[in-house]
């Protein structure tokens, strides 16, 4: 098994749930050498469940529907354009910066907001550089990076509008792709654990 046993189990279950929907074809999963190359190139480590999911098979993007925001929502880790992958990785930070610059968003943990807009953006950028890295799962759905971690809720991120999209990666695959979107009961209670980003939920 890859990484933590429970994380590997969770990622494999997520892959099975997605495959059962029949919505996507799959390429062979990423190899250990490919994981090393990706993590070295982009400067993060996949969480154990995310790693296991991608090792089980890479979902293949299909032609986008009319009005779809992302033409390639599944990150193409094996053969995708590096700049596009960097843009997807930067999406959460850039979205927050957009709201800092245009919508007066300011996190209380950053201290007093500078009066000068340029200085406010630079201060925000400095603090965001210290926030944990978020890794795209699908379009603007993200999991925290981090070898040895697993079971984080999947977050949907659009500027500073963050919502939960799954208790964990396996639950997310069911809710996003298997017709369960919006079906929650009082027992469905995700709890984000990753610093800074959890404050925006």
């Amino acid at each position: 098994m890859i990484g933590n046993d429970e994380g590997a189990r969770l990622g494999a279950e997520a892959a099975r749930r997605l495959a059962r929907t029949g919505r996507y074809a799959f390429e062979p999963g990423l190899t250990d050498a490919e994981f090393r190359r990706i993590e070295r190139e982009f400067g993060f480590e996949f969480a154990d469940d995310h790693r296991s999911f991608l090792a089980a098979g890479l979902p293949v993007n299909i032609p986008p529907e009319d009005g779809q925001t992302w033409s390639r929502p599944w990150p193409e880790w094996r053969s995708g354009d590096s700049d596009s992958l960097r843009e997807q990785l930067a999406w959460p930070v850039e979205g927050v910066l957009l709201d800092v610059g245009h919508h007066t968003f300011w996190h209380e943990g950053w201290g007093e907001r500078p009066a000068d807009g340029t200085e406010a953006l630079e201060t925000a950028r400095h603090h965001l550089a210290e926030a944990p890295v978020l890794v795209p799962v699908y379009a603007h759905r993200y999991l925290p990076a981090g070898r040895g971690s697993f079971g984080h809720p999947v977050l949907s991120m659009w500027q500073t509008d963050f919502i939960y999209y799954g208790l964990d990666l396996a639950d997310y695959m069911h809710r996003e792709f298997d017709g369960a979107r919006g079906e929650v009961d009082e027992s469905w209670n995700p709890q984000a654990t990753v610093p800074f980003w959890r404050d925006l939920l």
Side-chain angles (χ1 to χ4, degrees), residues 70-179:
W70 298 74
S71 62
R72 291 183 173 86
W74 293 109
E76 296 176 333
W77 296 113
R78 172 172 289 130
S79 56
D81 175 69
S82 290
D83 288 341
S84 295
L85 288 168
R86 288 186 198 287
E87 286 176 14
Q88 252 182 309
L89 282 160
W91 172 272
V93 166
E94 293 303 317
V96 172
L97 290 172
L98 188 63
D99 275 0
V100 168
H102 296 285
H103 301 106
T104 68
F105 170 79
W106 194 254
H107 187 263
E108 62 183 18
W110 297 343
E112 186 175 346
R113 180 186 176 110
D116 177 74
T118 301
E119 187 180 345
L121 274 172
E122 286 308 307
T123 301
R125 191 180 301 279
H126 170 76
H127 286 288
L128 286 163
E130 298 173 357
V133 174
L134 297 172
V135 182
V137 175
Y138 175 85
H140 54 98
R141 318 288 194 239
Y142 284 77
L143 277 175
R147 181 74 62 86
S149 69
F150 62 92
H152 294 285
V154 174
L155 305 179
S156 178
M157 320 186 87
W158 195 275
Q159 292 169 223
T160 51
D161 181 14
F162 290 11
I163 59 174
Y164 293 109
Y165 248 72
L167 287 169
D168 55 34
L169 189 57
D171 182 59
Y172 163 71
M173 293 300 164
H174 173 61
R175 295 186 182 281
E176 179 85 68
F177 301 106
D178 205 16

Side-chain angles (χ1 to χ4, degrees), residues 28-56:
L30 294 176
T31 65
D32 286 345
E34 287 176 317
F35 278 117
R36 285 193 296 273
R37 176 190 61 77
I38 293 162
E39 291 174 338
R40 184 173 58 249
E41 180 175 352
F42 296 104
F44 71 90
E45 292 184 325
F46 289 99
D48 292 353
D49 47 357
H50 199 175
R51 172 181 289 265
S52 177
F53 171 75
L54 296 171

Side-chain angles (χ1 to χ4, degrees), residues 7 13 47 62 127 132 196:
E13 176 60 21
I62 57 179
H127 286 288
F196 176 72

